[in-house]
Amino acid sequence: MGGLQSKAVQLLGIHHLTAVSAKIRDNRRFYTETLGMRLVKRSVNQDDVSAYHLFYADAKGSPGTDLTFFDWPAPRESRGTRSIVRTSLRVRREALAWWLQRFNELGVKHGEIVEHDGRYSLAFEDPEGQRLALVDDGGKGDPPASWERSPVPAAMQIRGLGPILMSVPMLKPTDELLTRVFNMKQARDYPHPDNPATRVHVFEMSGGGAHAELHVAVQPDLPVSRLGAGGVHHVAFRTPDADYDAWADRLNDSGVPNSGKVDRFWFRSLYVREPNGVLFEIASDGPGFAVDEDPSTLGEHLVLPPFLEPHRAEITANLKPID
């Protein structure tokens, strides 16, 4: 990596995470009815308009709360290293027991409430095998916006994205990118809950906290994963709007191959594939999902960014209803 001449900037935490579903109607039901999240944007993959892109979040679609899905008719993910392996969703500590009971009642595949890395969590999977966990957030992170129409009581609702766990066969090249370029701090490590001989290294953004951590497990003995339904496409990290251009400069000054500036209309993006193959994104906080919809009706209608709007009839003709 080259020398850095650009402005020193800090990431605020996790912005969103994008995964893959081959059963998008079932996906919508699970995340809105079982998990009680709000569908805040109903759109298409801007690079593959044959596929829906659904965004689930808090009531406002606040940065740091988005769990999103591409609608791809793919076989199940082949699990392994060089991938994101579990996505955490933040809740209050007292909500975990409530969720355990709810998962039992609704037949959701889950583990038990356990403590690791100093936090209580509850691992579970969606119907396609997407690996998730509810984690006690300690009350940190931006205050969530509860959704009044959620089937989940406000005090129990998901508050946003928590630590993201990824697997790599070797730590050093990923560590170098995260610390030297992304300005993350390697704060600590802990034994992997499924294999205590494996260490998980915690990288903090800004001041840390459950909303601002990337956890990296070093697992050289695993096969390489293959993306599919139930797998994760990429994770995005938050930047203030004012720092977006500085991040573009920083990636270029460091000699890191990247996408260049990409305008997604609701936010602006920069994409980097880290040395072990996991796709990262840096995404701006704004302008947000209400820039083209009334906040009271977010996610109720198909919305396209302006450059795709002239093709609406052709795009919608190839989409199946999801309601």
Side-chain angles (χ1 to χ4, degrees):
M1 296 179 185
L4 294 174
Q5 306 297 323
S6 50
K7 172 185 173 184
V9 282
Q10 292 290 326
L11 298 166
L12 301 178
I14 306 299
H15 184 282
H16 69 268
L17 180 134
T18 296
V20 178
S21 171
K23 299 178 179 179
I24 201 67
R25 293 181 69 177
D26 294 343
N27 176 277
R28 177 181 179 270
R29 282 195 293 269
F30 181 81
Y31 287 91
T32 60
E33 297 177 14
T34 300
L35 295 190
M37 302 177 77
R38 185 182 184 186
L39 176 60
V40 295
K41 189 64 65 176
R42 182 187 308 226
S43 191
V44 295
N45 182 324
Q46 295 181 16
D47 303 312
D48 173 13
V49 297
S50 69
Y52 279 109
H53 191 183
L54 303 186
F55 297 73
Y56 307 104
D58 70 359
K60 297 180 179 179
S62 308
T65 70
D66 303 340
L67 183 56
T68 92
F69 286 87
F70 293 149
D71 165 31
W72 284 340
R76 283 286 182 97
E77 172 199 34
S78 178
R79 293 178 177 179
T81 190
R82 300 185 187 271
S83 65
I84 292 169
V85 297
R86 193 171 297 277
T87 302
S88 295
L89 304 169
R90 296 182 289 110
V91 296
R92 299 178 187 273
R93 168 70 183 90
E94 57 270 23
L96 289 171
W98 185 90
W99 279 103
L100 180 62
Q101 181 178 347
R102 181 171 178 82
F103 289 163
N104 283 330
E105 292 172 351
L106 298 179
V108 175
K109 183 178 179 180
H110 66 84
E112 298 300 324
I113 298 172
V114 296
E115 182 183 8
H116 61 265
D117 190 36
R119 297 190 184 102
Y120 287 96
S121 65
L122 172 61
F124 68 102
E125 294 184 7
D126 79 2
E128 294 183 273
Q130 185 70 229
R131 288 170 285 179
L132 304 159
L134 298 174
V135 61
D136 169 22
D137 72 354
K140 294 184 177 180
D142 294 337
S146 58
W147 182 33
E148 61 183 17
R149 289 160 54 194
S150 173
V152 174
M156 306 300 169
Q157 287 180 23
I158 291 166
R159 296 163 56 83
L161 291 170
I164 305 301
L165 175 63
M166 59 183 279
S167 172
V168 298
M170 61 192 82
L171 181 63
K172 185 176 179 180
T174 299
D175 180 307
E176 184 176 358
L177 176 71
L178 294 178
T179 56
R180 287 198 61 248
V181 181
F182 282 35
N183 278 335
M184 297 187 193
K185 173 188 175 185
Q186 188 175 164
R188 61 189 182 276
D189 62 74
Y190 62 92
H192 194 290
D194 298 331
N195 181 4
T198 295
R199 304 303 295 182
V200 180
H201 302 263
V202 177
F203 292 83
E204 293 182 341
M205 290 160 269
S206 189
H211 66 292
E213 291 177 359
L214 181 66
H215 293 205
V216 183
V218 182
Q219 299 175 301
D221 297 331
L222 291 183
V224 176
S225 68
R226 186 181 70 248
L227 182 63
V232 173
H233 187 270
H234 67 269
V235 61
F237 309 118
R238 289 179 61 189
T239 179
D241 297 356
D243 289 346
Y244 174 78
D245 291 335
W247 275 110
D249 292 340
R250 186 173 182 83
L251 293 176
N252 291 330
D253 289 347
S254 68
V256 173
N258 66 89
S259 64
K261 298 176 182 178
V262 180
D263 189 349
R264 296 301 189 192
F265 189 60
W266 305 296
F267 47 85
R268 294 188 292 167
S269 301
L270 297 158
Y271 297 90
V272 173
R273 194 167 292 279
E274 59 86 36
N276 279 294
V278 176
L279 185 59
F280 290 160
E281 176 184 351
I282 295 174
S284 66
D285 274 357
F289 293 127
V291 69
D292 58 354
E293 287 189 275
D294 186 316
S296 66
T297 57
L298 288 175
E300 295 182 12
H301 307 285
L302 182 72
V303 175
L304 300 176
F307 80 95
L308 288 179
E309 193 59 47
H311 309 287
R312 173 176 285 271
E314 179 184 353
I315 290 171
T316 55
N318 291 319
L319 296 173
K320 297 177 181 179
I322 58 171
D323 294 318

